[in-house]
Amino acid sequence: MTTTEDKLFDIENFNVNTLDDEIRVDELCKKFLRLFYRDLVESRNLEPEDAAALTYGADYFLRDFIIADRRENIFRIDPRRLRQFGGNWYIVKNVEPNMEELNRQLDGTVLFYHFCAAHGKCRPALAEEIEQTCRDRNFYQQRIDSFWEIENNYPDWNRACALD
């Protein structure tokens, strides 16, 4: 990362307090994700299609959930946000929630936060905590399965992995 990029992607530039902040941070996030994609292709030697799928997965978590829905700084999240995302928000926001798609989102997010840690944008411990949270794929599968089984107890399902 160049000095100019490092200044552009200063952690404080990703604070979201107003609608204008949200728009600005969304644009910054897109630019930062392009660096992430390039790193996946050039440093990790992933095929462009695989790198794009992982980048899109991280993009969905970051831009749609963390920035637009939670209005939080992407570099200062609580790792439990991943459980809330994959165990609730993703499920109710998608017509056909499924583990194949969610796996790409979780995998891309894990790699993204390791990329951030490598560039001093978040604590390495945060990247590790996010990875640990994402590993529990049985939890996410169970949440999707139990969602499809809901007949009239949505509030109970929602409380089991609330967004608050």
Side-chain angles (χ1 to χ4, degrees):
M1 193 173 303
T2 68
T3 304
T4 303
E5 288 170 335
D6 196 46
K7 286 180 184 176
L8 177 65
F9 301 122
D10 183 77
I11 294 167
E12 299 304 318
N13 290 342
F14 286 80
N15 291 334
V16 181
N17 297 308
T18 66
L19 179 58
D20 287 340
D21 289 342
E22 182 181 329
I23 294 165
R24 179 184 48 74
V25 169
D26 184 74
E27 287 301 313
L28 277 176
C29 188
K30 282 195 275 189
K31 291 176 183 177
F32 197 72
L33 283 162
R34 285 187 199 108
L35 293 177
F36 170 61
Y37 169 81
R38 190 173 70 207
D39 183 74
L40 291 175
V41 172
E42 294 173 3
S43 299
R44 293 185 180 254
N45 298 316
L46 291 180
E47 292 296 320
E49 297 81 20
D50 296 333
L54 291 166
T55 302
Y56 172 76
D59 177 276
Y60 187 64
F61 170 73
L62 296 166
R63 294 180 54 230
D64 289 38
F65 183 62
I66 295 298
I67 296 171
D69 191 77
R70 302 285 92 191
R71 300 187 82 181
E72 293 176 349
N73 186 313
I74 65 171
F75 301 123
R76 292 192 176 121
I77 67 165
D78 184 320
R80 70 186 174 94
R81 286 289 186 223
L82 273 297
R83 284 180 75 83
Q84 294 169 334
F85 167 77
N88 187 319
W89 191 89
Y90 161 79
I91 296 168
V92 300
K93 295 291 183 185
N94 287 277
V95 176
E96 297 278 338
N98 63 81
M99 279 307 298
E100 183 179 342
E101 182 177 57
L102 183 56
N103 281 333
R104 279 191 306 274
Q105 292 163 351
L106 296 173
D107 291 342
T109 301
V110 166
L111 289 172
F112 175 80
Y113 278 97
H114 282 290
F115 171 78
C116 291
H119 291 282
K121 299 301 175 189
C122 73
R123 298 174 291 103
L126 176 62
E128 289 299 323
E129 291 174 53
I130 287 170
E131 183 173 353
Q132 286 296 103
T133 302
C134 289
R135 278 189 186 153
D136 190 4
R137 301 301 165 99
N138 289 333
F139 166 78
Y140 300 106
Q141 182 66 63
Q142 180 275 326
R143 291 291 296 163
I144 290 172
D145 293 345
S146 64
F147 177 76
W148 289 119
E149 295 168 2
I150 293 174
E151 291 183 17
N152 61 4
N153 61 346
Y154 176 79
D156 291 339
W157 180 89
N158 187 53
R159 266 191 301 281
C161 185
L163 292 174
D164 300 335

